[in-house]
Amino acid sequence: MASIDTIFALSTGRPPSGIAVIRMSGPQVRGALTALSGSVPEPRVARYGPLRAEGSIIDYGICLYFPSPNSVTGEDCGEFHVHGGVAVVNAVLGALADLGGCRLAEAGEFTRRAFLNGRMDLTGVEGLSDLIAAETETQRRMAVDSTSGRLRDLYLAWRTEILHMRAGIEAEMDFSDQDDVSESLNSALPASIVALVGHIDRHLARYRQSEIIRNGYRVVIIGAPNAGKSSLLNALTMRDVAIVTAEPGTTRDLIEVSLDLGGYKVVMTDTAGIRVSEGMVESIGIERALAAATLADLVLLVEDMSAPGRLAADAYPNVVRVGSKVDLVGRSDGGGYDVRISTRSGEGIGDLLSMVTERARLDTPTASTALPLRDRHVMHLRSARDALGRAIASDKALELRAEDLRGAAQDIGRIVGMTDTEELLGEIFGQFCIGK
């Protein structure tokens, strides 16, 4: 794709900063480098010197030139590395804006050009978006897997396999009178399709793992009023995020805090104390608490050991029973608790954090692996799987089998961006920041 405009943008953080990197891509990159630095540097060789506009020096910095097609966008690209002061950055951006054919880039436009010029596929684009947003080590690893092409290679291998199946059917239809095309050419087709559907189903089953990595392992704290739920949240986060009083019903709404535990994003949620309440606001808070616990990956059921008020632990599939206020009752072995804690002395808090971290680890991949990243991946894979299932229906004409296989290959191709609508591209690239 040949671009008409040359785009530019600040690619580093908002000034002031130590260094600012201003990127360019498009047909006027060589002219822009010449206008500000005097000439075009050698490809991929950093050159230090003055940058000028209207005859005066803006700053002393580094220039870089990356000629097409071997650049990040597939077009001519250039960079200015300057001091990250507000005035310096604004002066460089202003000088570029004054040049003919140059304009400020839109959100995600550099990456969009890379995709349109075949430098990236859509799974790589989405992985790059996740890499920029990554807060934990597991998020980073999953994003790197996608940007490295691992997910793309998996989907393209499946698509190639489907195309080979379709080619076999069409050979049987078109050349059935040839000696080298026997009636048994596609006898192995059903078994091949069943095997491929099995691979797709196992891959789809791991989507929940990618959701946990991206959105966080959801841990909900529930219990009776004054069981110590808010104190526990404050102890786990090591800051006062929830109000703690002796008055029952202090917490009325959900309070969420994200933690990084062992490289996993864990979202801790404090909830209203569960009891029969006549107050409308508290009743709404209790309903929200119960709903959050139902959707949680892990429930911490907190009970005050000095005045236990039992809630049904079997109402949730994944529960850790936490006995609180152990400092008031001593080291009793009764109660059947999984862990005993004191938010006042800190006893048991480390054990509880280790337990939560281990549960998060067990529910997410322990090794680098390709996972479906987005809802749209799941949608297209399910559609492809359904088409494959139709292709092996009994007594189906060869022409209809071939059409089902064509649809399945097309669905998988859409994941990597072989056929996509402009609306989808706008949605994906619009999530990027300016300069990426």
Side-chain angles (χ1 to χ4, degrees):
M1 184 200 76
S3 301
I4 298 175
D5 295 335
T6 294
I7 57 174
F8 62 88
L10 175 66
S11 288
T12 45
R14 180 181 300 178
S17 60
I19 296 293
V21 177
I22 297 169
R23 306 174 72 196
M24 303 175 290
S25 178
Q28 303 301 322
V29 164
R30 291 176 59 89
L33 288 167
T34 301
L36 271 69
S37 68
S39 63
V40 179
E42 294 183 37
R44 295 175 180 78
V45 176
R47 188 185 69 195
Y48 176 80
L51 304 180
R52 293 183 171 88
E54 298 181 351
S56 62
I57 295 178
I58 299 174
D59 191 17
Y60 288 86
I62 292 174
C63 301
L64 287 162
Y65 173 54
F66 307 93
S68 66
N70 299 316
S71 68
V72 66
T73 64
E75 305 173 337
D76 280 354
C77 289
E79 292 181 358
F80 294 114
H81 296 208
V82 296
H83 293 97
V86 174
V88 173
V89 170
N90 287 341
V92 175
L93 294 177
L96 291 173
D98 290 338
L99 300 176
C102 295
R103 63 170 175 82
L104 192 65
E106 298 175 359
E109 193 167 4
F110 285 92
T111 308
R112 185 182 185 120
R113 291 190 179 195
F115 167 73
L116 294 175
N117 288 319
R119 303 296 292 177
M120 302 180 71
D121 73 288
L122 281 186
T123 62
V125 169
E126 290 164 331
L128 180 58
S129 176
D130 287 343
L131 187 60
I132 294 171
E135 299 173 316
T136 67
E137 178 63 16
T138 52
Q139 290 176 335
R140 183 195 65 78
R141 288 203 306 265
M142 185 174 73
V144 168
D145 271 349
S146 184
T147 56
S148 68
R150 189 171 182 179
L151 200 58
R152 174 203 63 209
D153 293 344
L154 175 65
Y155 293 151
L156 290 182
W158 288 349
R159 181 175 180 272
T160 299
E161 187 175 349
I162 295 171
L163 292 176
H164 286 165
M165 295 176 188
R166 182 185 173 196
I169 290 179
E170 294 186 348
E172 184 172 335
M173 290 190 299
D174 296 337
F175 307 105
S176 59
D177 57 338
Q178 301 296 316
D179 292 337
D180 57 346
V181 181
S182 67
E183 293 182 359
S184 61
L185 179 66
N186 293 295
S187 60
L189 180 63
S192 298
I193 291 179
V194 169
L196 179 56
V197 168
H199 290 311
I200 294 175
D201 282 339
R202 286 189 291 274
H203 184 67
L204 285 171
R206 307 199 73 183
Y207 179 56
R208 178 57 187 148
Q209 294 178 331
S210 70
E211 282 189 311
I212 291 175
I213 292 174
R214 180 182 298 106
N215 300 324
Y217 186 73
R218 304 197 68 84
V219 178
V220 174
I221 306 171
I222 65 170
N226 280 2
K229 302 181 301 300
S230 297
S231 296
L232 174 58
L233 180 68
N234 290 342
L236 293 174
T237 59
M238 294 187 290
R239 60 185 188 275
D240 293 334
V241 295
I243 298 173
V244 177
T245 72
E247 179 183 344
T250 300
T251 301
R252 301 293 184 90
D253 207 348
L254 305 180
I255 301 175
E256 290 191 349
V257 181
S258 294
L259 302 177
D260 183 347
L261 299 182
Y264 299 95
K265 180 179 180 180
V266 175
V267 181
M268 291 279 184
T269 303
D270 184 23
T271 64
I274 298 174
R275 64 176 177 177
V276 177
S277 174
E278 297 180 357
M280 179 180 294
V281 175
E282 187 178 1
S283 295
I284 293 173
I286 293 171
E287 290 177 4
R288 291 182 178 180
L290 294 173
T294 301
L295 299 174
D297 299 303
L298 180 66
V299 172
L300 301 184
L301 181 55
V302 181
E303 297 177 2
D304 181 352
M305 296 175 64
S306 66
R310 290 294 177 91
L311 298 177
D314 57 359
Y316 311 102
N318 199 4
V319 178
V320 171
R321 290 192 61 210
V322 180
S324 67
K325 306 181 184 180
V326 69
D327 53 301
L328 300 181
V329 299
R331 295 179 175 273
S332 171
D333 292 331
Y337 298 108
D338 297 302
V339 62
R340 297 168 178 79
I341 65 166
S342 168
T343 57
R344 179 169 295 178
S345 67
E347 181 180 346
I349 297 298
D351 294 335
L352 180 57
L353 282 172
S354 297
M355 189 177 297
V356 172
T357 304
E358 179 63 12
R359 296 291 184 96
R361 185 191 67 80
L362 292 173
D363 283 348
T364 50
T366 56
S368 180
T369 185
L371 298 172
L373 294 178
R374 296 286 192 277
D375 287 338
R376 72 175 194 90
H377 297 189
V378 173
M379 178 186 69
H380 290 310
L381 287 170
R382 285 175 177 167
S383 180
R385 180 194 59 193
D386 292 344
L388 290 170
R390 292 193 299 271
I392 56 174
S394 61
D395 300 327
K396 195 161 195 175
L398 290 179
E399 293 86 348
L400 297 179
R401 293 181 191 271
E403 179 61 20
D404 288 330
L405 292 177
R406 183 199 65 79
Q410 187 176 52
D411 276 315
I412 293 180
R414 286 194 176 106
I415 300 176
V416 298
M418 289 184 168
T419 54
D420 266 296
T421 63
E422 190 68 19
E423 290 80 8
L424 173 61
L425 298 183
E427 178 182 346
I428 290 175
F429 295 111
Q431 298 174 3
F432 280 76
C433 55
I434 301 295
K436 194 61 183 172

